[in-house]
């Protein structure tokens, strides 16, 4: 999983860990596997995320398929901040 940091944006710890070899939570992974097509403007609260400022996040989730086999899921998280 790739991670980019932006100063002033809180990290969502349920998804990203600093420990090499750790995986995404099993229940969260199952939710991602149930997404069968690209979904846009997903409210992270519907995926079970909690947090003080979670409403400022939105996501695009898309499956990765090659030769008819699902290999993974791509998650683009967007943060709405005031400039």
């Amino acid at each position: 999983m790739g991670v980019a940091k932006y100063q002033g944006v809180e990290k969502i710890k349920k998804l990203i860990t600093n420990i090499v070899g750790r995986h995404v939570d099993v229940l969260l992974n199952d939710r991602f596997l149930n997404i069968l097509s690209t979904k846009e403007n997903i409210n992270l609260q519907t995926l079970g995320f909690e947090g003080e400022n979670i409403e400022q996040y939105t996501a695009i989730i898309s499956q990765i398929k090659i030769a008819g086999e699902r290999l993974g899921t791509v998650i683009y998280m967007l943060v709405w901040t005031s400039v």
Side-chain angles (χ1 to χ4, degrees), residues 60-72:
I60 299 171
I61 300 176
S62 184
Q63 60 179 315
I64 301 169
K65 267 188 158 178
I66 297 178
E69 183 178 345
R70 183 156 184 177
L71 300 178

Side-chain angles (χ1 to χ4, degrees), residues 1 3 11-25:
M1 178 179 293
V3 179
K11 185 163 90 171
I12 300 174
K13 295 179 182 175
K14 185 171 185 177
L15 234 171
I16 303 166
T17 64
N18 292 330
I19 302 169
V20 175
R22 293 278 313 257
H23 299 281
V24 174
D25 178 70

Side-chain angles (χ1 to χ4, degrees), residues 13-75:
K13 295 179 182 175
K14 185 171 185 177
L15 234 171
I16 303 166
T17 64
N18 292 330
I19 302 169
V20 175
R22 293 278 313 257
H23 299 281
V24 174
D25 178 70
V26 175
L27 295 175
L28 183 59
N29 186 55
D30 288 343
R31 289 185 206 128
F32 290 151
L33 290 176
N34 286 326
I35 295 173
L36 302 177
S37 63
T38 300
K39 303 289 182 195
E40 309 88 12
N41 299 320
I42 295 176
N43 180 328
L44 295 184
Q45 291 171 322
T46 62
L47 293 173
F49 288 99
E50 298 174 353
E52 189 174 310
N53 298 319
I54 199 69
E55 65 277 350
Q56 73 183 22
Y57 293 88
T58 188
I60 299 171
I61 300 176
S62 184
Q63 60 179 315
I64 301 169
K65 267 188 158 178
I66 297 178
E69 183 178 345
R70 183 156 184 177
L71 300 178
T73 305
V74 175
I75 306 152

